[in-house]
């Protein structure tokens, strides 16, 4: 999670055969990509600019959510050096929290015949985000308390297996509680999905949906707030200290366990907000909602450089855009957008494991 | 005294949450049914039977609350234990009673929660207050919990902790009997004749059983066998070489699809020979593992897990996608996969498949066991224990990891081919991430790196759920909880691997050196 640039000069690496092979591979991959892009964009040119704008907008919206979840991975990784595999499930719990608040509010009918939900859109949205964030924060807190804290000194393989177990448990608990069917978010009327401002580009309408704009703006605000907390507050300083060296931090009077708990709470809050956004924007949630975004967000965190907060933000946005623009730009089927995300993960780890903005990780952290 | 109360409070809160959770996922009903079925199958279906089962279920919970609450009372007297049990029982009785009251009132007013909480049926809401008016039923519910909790703390004090106090004074002799048992066992194990006799008995059982126990058990045990195969394979890379692979299902899928496409009539109509197809399935899984392993195996731990997970998902999505539908059959999968033949004779009844799977398990187990005890196996263990140190002692860690990865992929390919052939079908839904997690789970539960552990884990995780069909819905939930609990309590597994003898010797020498004599 280090924010400052390292003053140490990087060591000149020798040209081993592995490095040469990797370089050659990289050149081949990039050449293939460019060739494919050229054929689809220039030779075929099926899509006009309005389509690309549409794709980019939806990419930015989804990227904001990925970024919020990715920050959770990165914060926890920075402190415990573990992949919190259950983080996607924490997001799913937040999505359910928001869902139940909306259900509750839309069942209250006011005197003028409107539901509470439609009459006070702003208030009900705030309540939904509060509920979703709280649910996820509580889930994250107890996840750490019950599953991870007793294993502080254990090997990392054991921690990861625990996290996988916790993820499976939470997913199936949600399925048993709420059932396997997808549930439809009842948005306030003002935020009906699909409605929004219309912009005309190249003689065709491009819709800026209200839900999308709200999600994007809110995710930017939350990221800024998080950055402020990490950089400017006492808690943030403690978090950075713990991520650098737990023992020294403890010697300086920082309660390490407490800081770790708060880290999980903060990452839970962000994931919960992302979950509610997911519900409001995409509509359907079920117990499986958290799984794919969780893995994608991890990809985003790796893309930006794991352990690096601005990296997670950038990584999330980049992944969102690549995922929605990529299939069209490469002339592939849209079913394959997950394949693109995972391929990016593999290529990134192959060629630049430290990520776009990441520091070079030491052996211990990697 | 305050610590006393806070202890009791702590366990009470935990059990309140657990009990309400169990009710909300519908486990109280399932649990009661199971209990009454075990006690007296004749009244299991009747409503009184269910009520008795539920009463026993609730008293069991109360009993455990009492046990746990009084577990850590410091001056270990009967009075202190009883006080703790009473406090915990009172608190949890009141809260759970209130919860029961709430449920009873809701159902009396005709409110059905199933729209939101699917496992809470109106019937189970009535059952929690014993089909009585909510106030009386809630009192009864709370009362049962309070009484059984007091009873639990009483038992804890008079039986369990008394035993424990006694055992403190006699622990020396007890451990020596355990030692002598282990020594006899190891002596017998070392005896060549005894081992041969055991092998003969085992072989006889394995030959006779499949003919006797009918097609249903052959099917179940065949699945167990395939999971044993997967377990043996994944043990090489996770258990021995210590590299966490999560996308193991990818190689299972590659094996199954290679085999299916080569033999099935549907998309390509190749209809190759069974044995050649199995061999090619193994080879293609190995090639797949080299393709993904060469670039990523120098990553460590967590990255490796996620990358392989991503690879598994890529394979599944690709197989399912429209892009490859012509080639792989898409979401509908490949059908009518033929069975094996031997010298022109069909060899595909359920008994034959069982033999085939047993043979495959025995051969792979033998190979894996020999590998484990060879220089290769020691190199893997060295990498698992500390990769940097193993590198400095001259182990080519990358090559050994790649070898382990390729071998485990080959075994997964074999398992996939057998699975597809036995089911006569393979589709994308056979190759979901859950397969990898199941295999990981059986490895963890059994004990990493140990062959008997894998057998034990496979029987527990794949065989037991068949016996307890009622628990089918809760299987994955229990898996998840099991993974966490095993890591917290017993990370080495139920049947841990034994350390090689030389290592033990070295340790004892070191221990002697360390101790001042």
């Amino acid at each position: 999670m280090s924010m400052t640039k390292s003053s140490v000069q990087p060591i000149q690496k020798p040209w081993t055969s592995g490095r040469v092979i990797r370089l050659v591979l990289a050149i081949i991959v990039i050449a293939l990509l460019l060739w494919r892009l050229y054929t689809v964009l220039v030779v075929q040119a099926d899509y006009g600019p309005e389509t690309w704008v549409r794709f980019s907008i939806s990419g930015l919206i989804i990227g904001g959510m990925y970024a919020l979840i990715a920050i959770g991975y990165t914060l926890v990784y920075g402190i415990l050096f573990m992949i919190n595999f259950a983080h996607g499930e924490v997001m799913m719990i937040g999505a359910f929290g928001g869902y139940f608040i909306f259900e509750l509010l839309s069942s209250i009918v006011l005197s003028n015949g409107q539901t509470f939900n439609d009459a006070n859109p702003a208030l009900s949205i705030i309540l939904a985000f509060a509920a979703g964030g709280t649910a996820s924060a509580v889930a994250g807190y107890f996840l750490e308390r019950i599953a991870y804290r007793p294993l502080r000194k254990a090997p990392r393989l054991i921690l990861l297996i625990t996290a996988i177990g916790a993820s499976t448990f939470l997913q199936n608990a949600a399925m048993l509680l709420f059932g396997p069917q997808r549930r439809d978010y009842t948005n306030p009327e003002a935020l009906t999905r699909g409605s929004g401002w219309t912009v005309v580009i190249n003689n065709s309408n491009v819709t800026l949906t209200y839900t999308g704009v709200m999600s994007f703006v809110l995710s930017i605000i939350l990221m800024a707030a998080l950055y402020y907390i990490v950089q400017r507050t006492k808690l943030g300083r403690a978090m950075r200290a713990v991520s650098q060296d737990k023992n020294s931090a403890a010697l300086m009077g920082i309660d390490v366990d407490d800081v770790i708990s708060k880290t999980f709470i903060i990452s839970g809050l962000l994931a919960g907000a992302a979950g509610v956004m997911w519900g409001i924007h995409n509509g359907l949630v079920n117990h499986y909602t958290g799984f794919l975004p969780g893995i994608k967000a991890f990809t985003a965190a790796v893309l930006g450089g794991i352990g690096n907060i601005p990296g997670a933000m950038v990584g999330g946005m980049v992944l969102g855009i690549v995922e929605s623009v990529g299939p069209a730009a490469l002339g592939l089927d849209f079913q394959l957008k997950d394949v693109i995300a995972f391929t990016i993960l593999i290529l990134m780890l192959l060629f630049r494991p430290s990520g776009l903005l990441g520091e070079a990780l030491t052996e211990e952290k990697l | 005294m305050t610590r006393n109360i806070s202890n009791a409070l702590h366990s009470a809160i935990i059990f309140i949450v657990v009990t309400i959770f169990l009710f909300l996922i519908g486990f109280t009903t399932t649990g009661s049914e199971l209990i009454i079925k075990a006690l007296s199958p004749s009244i299991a279906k009747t409503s009184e039977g269910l009520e008795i089962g539920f009463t026993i279920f609730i008293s069991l919970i109360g009993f455990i609350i009492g046990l746990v609450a009084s577990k850590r009372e410091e001056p270990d007297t009967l009075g202190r234990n009883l006080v703790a049990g009473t406090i915990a029982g009172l608190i949890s009785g009141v809260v759970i009673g209130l919860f029961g009251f709430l449920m009873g009132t809701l159902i009396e007013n005709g409110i059905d929660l199933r729209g939101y909480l699917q496992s809470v049926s109106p019937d189970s809401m009535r059952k929690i207050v014993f089909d009585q008016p909510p106030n009386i039923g809630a009192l009864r519910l709370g009362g049962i919990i309070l009484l059984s909790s007091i009873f639990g703390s009483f038992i804890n004090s008079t039986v369990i902790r008394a035993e424990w106090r006694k055992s403190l004074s006699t622990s020396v002799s007890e451990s020596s009997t355990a030692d002598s048992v282990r020594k006899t066992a190891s002596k017998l194990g070392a005896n060549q004749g005894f081992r041969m006799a055991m092998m003969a008995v085992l072989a006889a059982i394995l030959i006779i059983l499949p003919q006797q126990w009918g097609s249903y058990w052959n099917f179940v045990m065949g699945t167990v066998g395939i999971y044993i195969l997967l377990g043996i394979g994944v043990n090489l890379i996770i258990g021995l070489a210590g590299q966490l692979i999560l996308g193991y299902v990818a190689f299972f899928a590659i094996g199954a699809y290679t085999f299916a496409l080569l033999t099935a009539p549907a998309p390509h109509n190749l209809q190759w020979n069974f044995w050649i197809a199995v061999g090619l399935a193994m080879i293609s899984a190995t090639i797949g593992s080299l393709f993904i392993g060469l670039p990523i195996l120098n990553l460590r731990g967590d990255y490796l897990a996620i990358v392989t997970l991503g690879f598994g998902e890529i394979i599944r999505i690709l197989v399912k996608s429209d892009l490859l539908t012509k080639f792989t059959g898409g979401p509908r999968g490949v059908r009518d996969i033929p069975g094996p033949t031997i010298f022109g004779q069909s060899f595909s009844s359920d008994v034959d498949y069982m033999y085939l799977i047993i043979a495959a398990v025995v051969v792979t187990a033998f190979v894996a066991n020999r590998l484990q005890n060879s220089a290769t196996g020691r190199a893997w263990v060295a990498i698992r224990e500390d990769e940097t140190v193993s590198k400095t002692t001259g182990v080519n860690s990358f090559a050994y990891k790649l070898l382990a990865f390729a071998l485990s992929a080959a075994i997964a390919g074999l398992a996939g081919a057998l699975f597809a052939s036995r089911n006569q079908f393979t589709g994308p839904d056979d190759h979901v991430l859950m397969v990898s997690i199941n295999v990981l789970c059986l490895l963890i539960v059994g004990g990493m790196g140990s062959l008997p552990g894998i057998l034990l884990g496979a029987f527990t995780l794949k065989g037991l759920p068949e016996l307890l069909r009622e628990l089918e819905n809760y299987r994955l939930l229990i898996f998840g909880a099991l993974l966490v609990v095993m890591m917290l309590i017993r990370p080495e597994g139920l049947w841990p691997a034994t350390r090689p003898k030389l290592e033990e010797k070295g340790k004892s020498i070191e221990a002697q050196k360390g101790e001042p004599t």
Side-chain angles (χ1 to χ4, degrees):
Chain A
M1 211 188 315
S2 83
M3 302 292 149
T4 51
K5 265 196 178 161
S6 166
S7 57
V8 182
Q9 288 291 313
I11 304 161
Q12 195 66 46
K13 281 190 201 155
W15 284 94
T16 57
S17 56
R19 247 188 112 196
V20 173
I21 291 172
R22 240 187 283 174
L23 192 75
V24 173
L25 262 177
I27 292 169
I28 293 173
V29 168
I30 291 171
L32 271 176
L33 268 180
L34 288 179
W35 172 76
R36 188 75 202 161
L37 281 176
Y38 173 77
T39 45
V40 174
L41 297 185
V42 183
V43 181
Q44 297 176 345
D46 289 339
Y47 302 115
E50 75 281 2
T51 317
W52 298 116
V53 171
R54 249 178 235 144
F55 285 147
S56 310
I57 289 170
S58 78
L60 276 177
I61 293 163
I62 208 95
M65 299 178 204
Y66 285 159
L68 287 182
I69 308 170
I71 288 170
Y73 278 107
T74 254
L75 282 176
V76 170
Y77 197 92
I79 285 186
L80 288 181
F81 304 134
M82 71 168 286
I83 296 171
N84 182 9
F85 200 82
H87 196 58
E89 269 55 58
V90 170
M91 170 216 157
M92 175 268 294
I93 290 172
F96 269 108
Y99 166 76
F100 281 113
I101 284 293
F102 275 144
E103 285 293 301
L104 180 73
L105 294 181
S106 61
S107 71
I108 301 172
V109 181
L110 298 180
S111 52
N112 56 2
Q114 273 186 314
T115 61
F116 186 90
N117 215 354
D118 296 338
N120 308 304
L123 184 62
S124 35
I125 286 167
I126 290 171
L127 279 176
F129 274 101
T134 315
S136 287
V138 168
Y141 174 76
F142 280 105
L143 184 66
E144 193 268 335
R145 263 322 272 273
I146 295 170
Y148 302 154
R149 187 172 293 184
L151 296 171
R152 207 51 46 90
K153 295 266 185 296
R156 283 161 61 196
L157 191 65
I158 285 187
L159 261 175
L160 185 60
I161 291 170
T162 311
I164 293 167
S167 160
T168 314
F169 179 85
L170 289 176
Q171 212 179 87
N172 285 283
M175 191 192 76
L176 287 168
L177 284 176
F178 309 128
Q181 75 270 34
R182 284 157 174 259
R183 290 167 179 279
D184 206 347
Y185 250 63
T186 39
N187 286 3
E189 217 170 5
L191 269 185
T192 312
R193 269 184 295 283
S195 66
W197 297 285
T198 311
V199 186
V200 178
I201 299 175
N202 199 14
N203 291 330
S204 96
N205 291 338
V206 175
T207 315
L208 273 173
T209 57
Y210 298 135
T211 53
V213 172
M214 186 210 67
S215 298
F216 184 71
V217 171
L218 192 64
S219 55
I220 296 289
I221 293 172
L222 284 174
M223 283 187 247
L226 176 93
Y227 200 72
Y228 175 80
I229 289 176
V230 171
Q231 290 298 347
R232 295 288 155 82
T233 63
K234 209 170 169 183
L235 173 65
R237 206 178 309 147
M239 281 162 68
R240 280 180 287 149
V242 171
S243 83
Q244 282 187 358
D245 190 332
K246 283 198 204 54
N247 291 332
S248 308
L251 287 175
M252 297 298 125
I254 295 170
D255 183 349
V256 174
D257 278 342
D258 184 53
V259 170
I260 293 175
S261 277
K262 281 176 181 153
T263 309
F264 271 85
I265 289 174
I266 291 175
S267 47
L269 275 173
L270 295 179
V276 179
M277 281 176 206
W278 189 275
I280 289 179
H281 186 65
N282 294 345
L284 298 169
V285 292
N286 72 347
H287 64 283
Y288 207 63
T289 300
F291 180 73
L292 265 186
I295 297 194
K296 300 273 188 59
F298 174 75
T299 305
V302 171
L303 195 62
I306 195 149
N308 180 326
I309 294 171
M313 301 173 185
V314 173
M317 294 292 178
V318 170
L319 186 71
I321 292 175
V322 168
E323 200 185 283
S324 59
V325 175
L330 295 177
L332 292 171
D333 204 311
F334 277 91
Q335 290 171 322
L336 297 179
K337 71 181 170 59
D338 299 338
V339 172
I340 291 181
F342 292 129
T343 312
I344 289 176
L345 174 68
I346 294 177
L347 291 179
M348 202 65 205
L349 286 175
L350 194 57
F351 296 123
R352 200 178 151 81
S354 55
L356 292 174
L357 306 183
E359 62 202 305
L361 289 172
T362 57
E363 193 95 304
E364 183 211 350
K365 282 190 184 180
L366 196 64
Chain B
M1 199 64 192
T2 49
R3 229 193 89 225
N4 205 333
I5 292 173
S6 84
N7 246 347
L9 198 68
H10 207 94
S11 42
I13 291 172
I14 291 174
F15 277 97
I16 290 167
V17 172
V18 169
T19 312
I20 293 179
F21 177 69
L22 287 184
F23 175 76
L24 290 181
I25 63 173
F27 192 77
T28 45
T29 316
T30 317
S32 322
E33 275 168 12
L34 272 181
I35 287 172
I36 200 66
K37 230 186 203 172
L39 289 181
S40 122
S42 59
I43 58 163
K45 285 277 175 260
T46 65
S47 133
E48 295 104 66
L50 276 182
E51 198 172 312
I52 297 170
F54 182 64
T55 313
I56 298 174
F57 185 83
I58 284 292
S59 351
L60 262 179
I61 288 178
F63 183 75
I64 298 171
I65 294 176
L67 273 186
V68 173
S70 60
K71 199 179 66 183
R72 276 182 297 184
E73 281 308 301
E74 227 1 280
D76 179 14
T77 60
L78 182 58
R80 292 293 290 257
N81 283 332
L82 279 183
V83 168
T86 315
I87 294 171
L90 199 63
I91 297 167
S92 41
V94 167
V95 177
I96 295 173
L98 279 177
F99 180 75
F101 181 72
L102 178 69
M103 288 295 132
T105 323
L106 284 178
I107 197 65
E108 274 213 331
N109 295 323
I111 297 172
D112 191 350
L113 290 179
R114 255 184 309 185
Y116 295 112
L117 300 164
Q118 65 133 30
S119 307
V120 184
S121 65
D123 204 39
S124 75
M125 285 166 78
R126 267 181 229 115
K127 272 278 157 349
I128 197 175
V129 284
F130 304 95
D131 287 326
Q132 282 167 349
N135 45 0
I136 302 173
L139 270 182
R140 185 162 154 195
L141 183 67
I144 291 174
I145 288 178
L146 173 62
L147 288 181
S148 49
S149 166
I150 295 174
F151 181 63
S153 59
F154 177 72
I155 291 291
N156 183 37
S157 180
T158 52
V159 181
I160 297 171
R161 294 185 84 168
E163 276 297 311
W164 185 62
R165 263 167 285 175
K166 220 190 285 166
S167 76
L168 271 186
S169 52
T170 57
S171 63
V172 183
S173 64
E174 241 174 65
S175 76
S176 67
T177 47
D179 260 3
S180 71
V181 168
R182 201 179 302 146
K183 258 179 205 161
T184 341
S186 69
K187 235 183 238 166
L188 273 177
N191 185 336
Q192 198 75 31
F194 179 76
R195 271 173 71 175
M196 294 297 275
M198 285 302 286
M199 290 281 210
V201 171
L202 194 69
I205 290 175
L206 287 182
I207 289 172
I208 295 167
L209 260 188
Q211 306 218 353
Q212 297 301 325
W213 62 16
S215 60
Y216 173 71
W217 278 104
N218 272 332
F219 187 81
V220 172
M221 284 300 148
T223 314
V224 171
I226 282 165
Y227 272 83
I228 292 175
L229 270 181
L230 286 173
I232 291 171
V234 91
N235 183 39
L236 293 178
I237 183 79
I238 300 183
L240 292 179
Q243 308 298 311
L244 187 58
I245 303 291
L246 270 185
Y248 195 58
V249 68
F251 310 116
F252 187 64
I254 294 177
Y257 265 96
T258 312
F259 175 80
L261 295 175
L262 286 178
T263 55
H268 302 298
N269 200 12
L270 290 170
Q271 311 231 20
W272 284 24
N273 180 286
F274 174 87
W275 304 101
I276 296 174
V278 168
L280 282 176
M282 289 173 73
I283 291 172
S284 63
T286 313
I287 291 172
S289 77
L290 293 179
F291 175 74
I292 190 72
L294 273 172
I296 65 161
L297 267 179
N298 50 4
L299 299 171
R300 285 195 171 187
D302 323 350
Y303 279 166
L304 195 60
I306 298 281
V307 170
T308 49
L309 187 155
F311 182 64
E313 286 291 299
I314 288 178
I315 295 282
R316 192 177 63 84
I317 296 168
L318 278 180
V319 159
K320 212 175 175 174
S321 69
D322 292 345
L323 189 72
L324 294 181
T325 294
K326 270 195 193 137
F327 187 67
T328 61
R332 297 183 56 205
V334 186
R335 284 152 202 278
D336 303 327
I337 302 169
T341 50
I342 291 184
F343 306 122
Q345 300 282 315
S346 168
F347 188 70
S348 51
S349 72
D350 54 322
V351 180
D352 297 335
Y353 267 114
M354 199 62 221
Y355 284 144
L356 195 63
I357 291 170
I358 289 175
V361 167
V362 169
V363 172
T364 42
F366 178 75
V367 172
N369 196 29
R370 298 301 295 174
L371 271 171
Q372 189 166 349
N373 295 328
S374 68
T376 316
R378 285 198 298 277
W380 285 335
V381 174
I383 292 168
R384 179 188 71 195
E385 295 297 324
D386 193 324
E387 193 172 340
T388 317
V389 171
S390 73
K391 265 185 194 163
T392 56
T393 50
V395 174
N396 184 348
S397 70
F398 184 75
Y400 276 110
K401 281 195 283 190
L402 199 62
L403 178 65
F405 196 39
L407 281 173
S408 69
I411 295 175
L414 172 65
L418 287 179
F419 192 66
S421 167
R422 193 199 59 168
N423 294 357
Q424 303 178 353
F425 168 79
T426 192
D429 296 335
D430 285 347
H431 310 292
V432 290
L433 176 72
M434 239 29 250
V435 177
S436 306
I437 292 189
N438 280 346
V439 176
L440 178 70
C441 206
L442 79 88
L443 196 64
I444 304 285
V445 168
M448 281 207 204
S450 103
L451 207 56
I454 293 168
L455 298 185
L456 188 65
F459 279 111
T460 330
L461 293 185
K462 279 281 150 191
L464 267 192
E466 294 296 332
L467 288 176
L468 302 169
R469 289 252 83 158
E470 288 89 347
L471 295 181
E472 176 65 27
N473 290 341
Y474 304 100
R475 203 165 51 103
L476 286 174
L477 185 83
I478 296 171
F479 276 14
L482 207 62
L483 275 182
V484 176
V485 170
M486 288 297 286
M487 288 297 106
L488 293 181
I489 296 172
R490 203 180 156 84
E492 71 273 23
L494 289 178
W495 194 320
T498 44
R499 297 231 153 195
K501 292 246 168 55
L502 267 173
E503 211 175 321
E504 287 285 313
K505 242 183 224 163
K507 220 174 222 176
S508 65
I509 290 167
E510 224 166 71
Q512 280 167 9
K513 268 185 197 161
E515 274 167 8
T517 43

